[in-house]
Amino acid sequence: MNDPARHGRRTILKGAAVTAAAMTATPGLGEAEPLDDAAASHGEVVGTPRPRLEGHGKVTGSVRYAADMKLPNTAHGAVVLSTVARGRIRTMDTAAVLKMPGVVGVVDHTNAPKLNPEAGNFFGPDGQMQILQNTEIHYSGQPIALVVAETLEQAQAAAKALEVTYDELPHDTKFRVDHPERRPAIPIFGPDANVGNLEAELAASAVVVDQLYHSPPETCCAMEPHAATAWWEGDRLQVVDTNQGSFYIAVSLATLFFLPLEKVRVRAEHVGGGFGSKGMIGAVQILAVMATTLLHRPVRVTLSRNQVFLTTSGREVIEQRVRLGADRDGRLRAIGHEAVFAISPLAEFVENCVEMAKTIYAAKAIRTRLNVVPLDVLPPCSVRGPGNTPGSFALECAVDELAEKLRIDPLDLRLRNEPKVGPVSGLPFSSRNLVGCMREGARRFGWAKRDLRPRRRREGDLLVGTGMAAVSFLTLALPSTATITAEKDGTYTVSIGASDIGTGARTALVSIAADALRVKPEKIRIRIADSDFGNAWAASGSLGQASWSWAVTSAAKKLREQLATRPPLPVTVTADTTAETSAMPRKERQSHSAIFAEVTVDPATGEVRVRRLLGMFGIGRVINPLTARSQAIGGMIMGLSLALHEESVRDPDSGRHINADFAGYHISAHADVPDIEADFVPDYEPDIASGIKGVGEVGTCGTAAAIANAVWHATGRRHRTLPIRLDRVLEDRVLPSGGAV
């Protein structure tokens, strides 16, 4: 997900005071024991593997997602997207469409409600939110109209029939690092690193690596397409949506439509994946609200799979230069990491590729730079492992190249450069067990048996290689609110605006609440993903559980204190962690992982197969090992997909994505997923309640580099451009001995 606020930066979205949660009873769970220390000892629930609470409902089909919302008199909206990359709408024949069967309205720039132009996201004002406000076209796939009809099929047919003409203007979608509009990225993640004299340390180094690394545009590919249903209940706006943070979507809608926050309610009970694409407000929510406001009836807007690709943000093209300098013994003298990436003129965004360069290795000189190139493209946004997924690919491949030049084991090289404090900040680490991840991963993987030399292991016609990568990923806890009610029947209702996007968040929160209240998990009712429950950080940036658990444990503590006086039930308490999270001492806080990969390569066909993946993770206290392991494995699978398959291709003439579906945009299938193992080293975050760090990103971040390094070890050829496609691996001439010309 999207994680901008994990560095404490401000948002320009303004909202009214948070409303109190409206508590409603859920079906009884049977008789319950009163709150009692003997009911469950501290730590008995947390750390115990538990299946997801909603698992049975998902596999049986009884769970309902946003597009399943049923309301009387609901109309259906189909989005019309621009087919040009830049220009103006000249004509739009809405009159003909309005005569088609079932059509009840068309929302376009002539009748759309006016939106607040100051609305924005965590990076500042966001012009992408200004949907249907004028005739301007800024990128191919931009929403230009919504056709509303009695049925979805009628709406889609009419949307397809809508005739639009354009005054087309020249567009620029070609990325290059020497682009005349290139400029520094906004310093929202803090200033560039400028420790020591990089050029002098490089000159003094015995061995230097200076390479460029390239990664293509990528999309999030969540299983559930985006959908939203909006309606008015009196003067209060109701939205059932698929998102990663209902409270922040409510704040965005309130800001955009000039509404008090208490007049907006957003819910997202079940979400079929997000990976960042549902972290911020998008077209479906805005268009649904526009349509229900104009038509005075509930309206559901859903995107087709093709439209998800074309109109929901992903990661843009990135080029990185990494320079490393080291002494002959492998001690780093210099780390230089520069990144240039595409953005849209409509909105600022920062792909913080250089974060790891500031935290993971010690060096006398460290310099980082971030630059952007504005292009006529859909504004990018965070994709799983924002910044560090492409950043770790470049940095960890460069570290492997340095190890090759030094003739040092890549594991040993990393161990020799373990820092004692933050290499740039100078701050102490709150906790750090990256060395434990690397050592235990190497032991389990059998790393010690590895021949340092490439192209030495062969099985028939296949070349076999192994590689590794290390990762750090910043972790924090951000302000959240939780409410707990002690019910008359001895059960407890926990209400928090957390989002479960398929990660098992609600199950983990039940364990945390049961542990904090010292009761059995069966006594906990959990209610999530409702903006009425108050401020809660989104499921993004690996910050969800750390932020939510703090609010739950704080509320549980307050409730225990009140219940000690034996008041009449029910008793309700609310905790807001703004003060506690703001008072956290300044330290370096990161989750860590070490990823090990084994691949086979057929040089005659260019086919790369990942045979084994192993990830060892330092993520603080593990709340639910079962779901945490699933997250780690899922992250590695996504990293495998980025390494070998994923690449959005844009037609230079039209500026439009030409592989905007699962037929053309390849992701890992079952046949691509190898034997994967994920486990955790002992770790604990002392400054965050429950000792939690994040697990959602660190698996994805290191996997592409580990696989790329393994492909080099198998073939002797470096691949600095993702994905590692067949045509890039294919060798012109393969010798019987396994050599190539």
Side-chain angles (χ1 to χ4, degrees):
M1 314 326 111
N2 189 295
D3 69 336
R6 61 192 177 86
H7 288 267
R9 53 194 181 278
R10 67 178 179 85
T11 171
I12 68 166
L13 294 178
K14 308 292 184 182
V18 175
T19 58
M23 305 304 298
T24 57
T26 53
L29 300 178
E31 295 185 4
E33 300 171 4
L35 188 65
D36 187 344
D37 284 351
S41 63
H42 185 71
E44 181 180 338
V45 181
V46 169
T48 301
R50 298 178 61 83
R52 285 189 280 186
L53 295 173
E54 77 282 9
H56 182 270
K58 286 184 173 179
V59 299
T60 59
S62 61
V63 162
R64 293 292 176 260
Y65 293 87
D68 300 320
M69 178 69 182
K70 292 184 178 180
L71 284 173
N73 199 35
T74 297
H76 298 264
V79 185
V80 180
L81 304 181
S82 167
T83 58
V84 303
R86 188 164 172 262
R88 298 181 183 87
I89 298 171
R90 182 193 306 160
T91 64
M92 185 180 295
D93 191 4
T94 58
V97 166
L98 288 168
K99 298 176 183 178
M100 294 182 67
V103 174
V104 297
V106 177
V107 186
D108 61 18
H109 62 276
T110 65
N111 62 355
K114 294 304 176 185
L115 302 174
N116 185 347
E118 296 183 0
N121 59 41
F122 304 106
F123 297 95
D126 188 350
Q128 186 184 359
M129 295 182 180
Q130 301 300 311
I131 296 175
L132 310 188
Q133 298 301 284
N134 52 49
T135 62
E136 299 293 321
I137 302 298
H138 300 278
Y139 58 91
S140 179
Q142 176 180 319
I144 58 173
L146 180 75
V147 179
V148 185
E150 297 293 347
T151 69
L152 177 60
E153 292 77 13
Q154 290 171 331
Q156 290 174 334
K160 187 176 181 180
L162 181 63
E163 292 189 6
V164 182
T165 62
Y166 304 91
D167 292 322
E168 195 167 354
L169 297 173
H171 66 266
D172 180 9
T173 59
K174 184 177 181 180
F175 175 84
R176 59 187 192 275
V177 295
D178 61 346
H179 196 285
E181 298 298 319
R182 171 177 166 168
R183 59 173 173 79
I186 58 174
I188 204 164
F189 289 100
D192 292 325
N194 286 290
V195 174
N197 187 323
L198 181 72
E199 302 301 336
E201 294 297 336
L202 286 170
S205 296
V207 176
V208 172
V209 168
D210 185 348
Q211 294 292 348
L212 297 177
Y213 301 87
H214 182 89
S215 54
E218 301 159 352
T219 192
C220 291
C221 294
M223 183 179 294
E224 176 199 21
H226 296 58
T229 303
W231 71 100
W232 290 91
E233 288 184 359
D235 64 348
R236 194 165 195 231
L237 177 64
Q238 302 280 343
V239 178
V240 171
D241 180 28
T242 175
N243 66 60
Q244 294 176 225
S246 293
F247 180 79
Y248 288 100
I249 300 300
V251 171
S252 297
L253 287 172
T255 305
L256 277 167
F257 288 92
F258 304 97
L259 297 169
L261 183 57
E262 62 268 21
K263 296 296 184 181
V264 180
R265 184 185 187 191
V266 177
R267 287 167 284 170
E269 180 70 16
H270 295 285
V271 180
F275 311 119
S277 69
K278 299 172 183 175
M280 294 183 181
I281 194 168
V284 291
Q285 300 102 328
I286 298 170
L287 292 171
V289 174
M290 284 180 168
T292 192
T293 301
L294 293 175
L295 299 174
H296 309 290
R297 59 187 290 189
V299 176
R300 177 185 303 149
V301 178
T302 56
L303 297 181
S304 68
R305 180 63 66 186
N306 175 256
Q307 289 176 330
V308 169
F309 276 88
L310 294 176
T311 196
T312 63
S313 297
R315 181 180 282 128
E316 261 298 333
V317 61
I318 305 168
E319 186 152 310
Q320 301 174 73
R321 182 187 184 191
V322 178
R323 292 186 286 170
L324 303 178
D327 293 329
R328 281 290 174 193
D329 65 356
R331 303 290 178 178
L332 283 167
R333 301 182 68 99
I335 300 174
H337 193 169
E338 304 171 33
V340 186
F341 50 91
I343 64 169
S344 164
L346 292 176
E348 293 291 342
F349 174 73
V350 179
E351 188 78 52
N352 192 21
C353 303
V354 300
E355 179 181 306
M356 269 179 49
K358 301 177 181 180
T359 61
I360 195 167
Y361 301 120
K364 294 180 179 180
I366 300 176
R367 188 170 76 191
T368 63
R369 296 291 185 269
L370 288 170
N371 289 277
V372 299
V373 173
L375 299 175
D376 298 320
V377 297
L378 172 71
C381 197
S382 296
V383 180
R384 193 173 189 177
N388 278 12
T389 291
S392 64
F393 164 67
L395 181 61
E396 288 299 282
C397 285
V399 169
D400 204 72
E401 297 197 44
L402 182 64
E404 176 195 354
K405 286 191 171 186
L406 289 166
R407 297 184 180 179
I408 294 176
D409 186 295
L411 173 64
D412 291 340
L413 178 61
R414 290 171 170 89
L415 293 173
R416 292 179 194 185
N417 291 284
E418 173 70 7
K420 292 182 172 59
V421 296
V424 172
S425 69
L427 296 173
F429 293 104
S430 60
S431 67
R432 181 180 172 99
N433 201 2
L434 177 58
V435 168
C437 292
M438 290 192 288
R439 289 194 185 280
E440 179 61 14
R443 185 190 68 80
R444 296 192 188 191
F445 193 75
W447 186 262
K449 301 176 183 178
R450 181 182 192 262
D451 189 329
L452 291 179
R453 298 169 298 175
R455 209 177 179 98
R456 295 290 171 172
R457 184 176 166 193
R458 188 180 179 92
E459 294 180 6
D461 294 331
L462 301 179
L463 302 172
V464 183
T466 54
M468 70 163 294
V471 171
S472 66
F473 196 93
L474 187 144
T475 188
L476 286 174
L478 296 175
S480 294
T481 302
T483 298
I484 305 179
T485 297
E487 308 286 1
K488 291 182 178 181
D489 63 359
T491 62
Y492 302 86
T493 301
V494 178
S495 301
I496 185 167
S499 296
D500 193 330
I501 59 175
T503 58
R506 55 167 50 83
T507 308
L509 288 170
V510 165
S511 294
I512 291 166
D515 190 56
L517 291 168
R518 303 187 186 279
V519 300
K520 296 177 181 178
E522 291 75 19
K523 308 304 180 185
I524 305 294
R525 298 182 180 93
I526 185 73
R527 304 175 66 211
I528 66 171
D530 188 331
S531 63
D532 273 2
F533 297 159
N535 177 29
W537 179 243
S540 63
S542 290
L543 303 179
Q545 287 291 1
S547 304
W548 306 327
S549 66
W550 200 328
V552 169
T553 54
S554 294
K557 180 180 178 181
K558 290 177 64 175
L559 182 60
R560 287 175 60 82
E561 291 171 351
Q562 290 199 24
L563 292 178
T565 66
R566 301 292 177 181
L569 299 179
V571 174
T572 298
V573 301
T574 297
D576 183 338
T577 63
T578 301
E580 296 98 313
T581 55
S582 300
M584 292 173 64
R586 292 186 66 228
K587 296 180 183 178
E588 288 282 359
R589 293 183 179 84
Q590 289 102 26
S591 298
H592 298 97
S593 68
I595 310 296
F596 296 80
E598 180 180 298
V599 305
T600 62
V601 180
D602 187 335
T605 65
E607 183 179 22
V608 176
R609 287 282 182 178
V610 177
R611 178 180 287 176
R612 284 194 296 152
L613 276 178
L614 167 67
M616 293 301 302
F617 298 88
I619 60 166
R621 191 180 184 199
V622 179
I623 302 301
N624 185 342
L626 182 63
T627 54
R629 186 171 288 109
S630 292
Q631 276 211 68
I633 289 173
M636 288 191 286
I637 292 172
M638 194 166 187
L640 184 159
S641 194
L642 297 175
L644 301 182
H645 305 298
E646 297 191 38
E647 180 179 19
S648 291
V649 180
R650 188 177 287 116
D651 175 43
D653 293 328
S654 67
R656 192 177 183 87
H657 281 155
I658 58 176
N659 61 335
D661 53 43
F662 283 144
Y665 186 93
H666 294 171
I667 61 174
S668 293
H670 283 288
D672 300 303
V673 177
D675 174 21
I676 301 182
E677 181 184 354
D679 210 345
F680 310 98
V681 298
D683 199 18
Y684 191 86
E685 173 50 58
D687 297 325
I688 295 178
S690 302
I692 297 173
K693 297 180 182 179
V695 66
E697 324 283 357
V698 290
T700 300
C701 291
T703 305
I707 292 172
N709 292 336
V711 171
W712 166 79
H713 189 238
T715 65
R717 297 170 61 189
R718 291 286 177 186
H719 291 273
R720 304 181 184 97
T721 296
L722 294 180
I724 305 173
R725 298 189 318 233
L726 274 67
D727 60 305
R728 292 170 175 159
V729 179
L730 184 67
E731 298 182 3
D732 294 335
R733 181 180 169 198
V734 180
L735 302 179
S737 63
V741 177

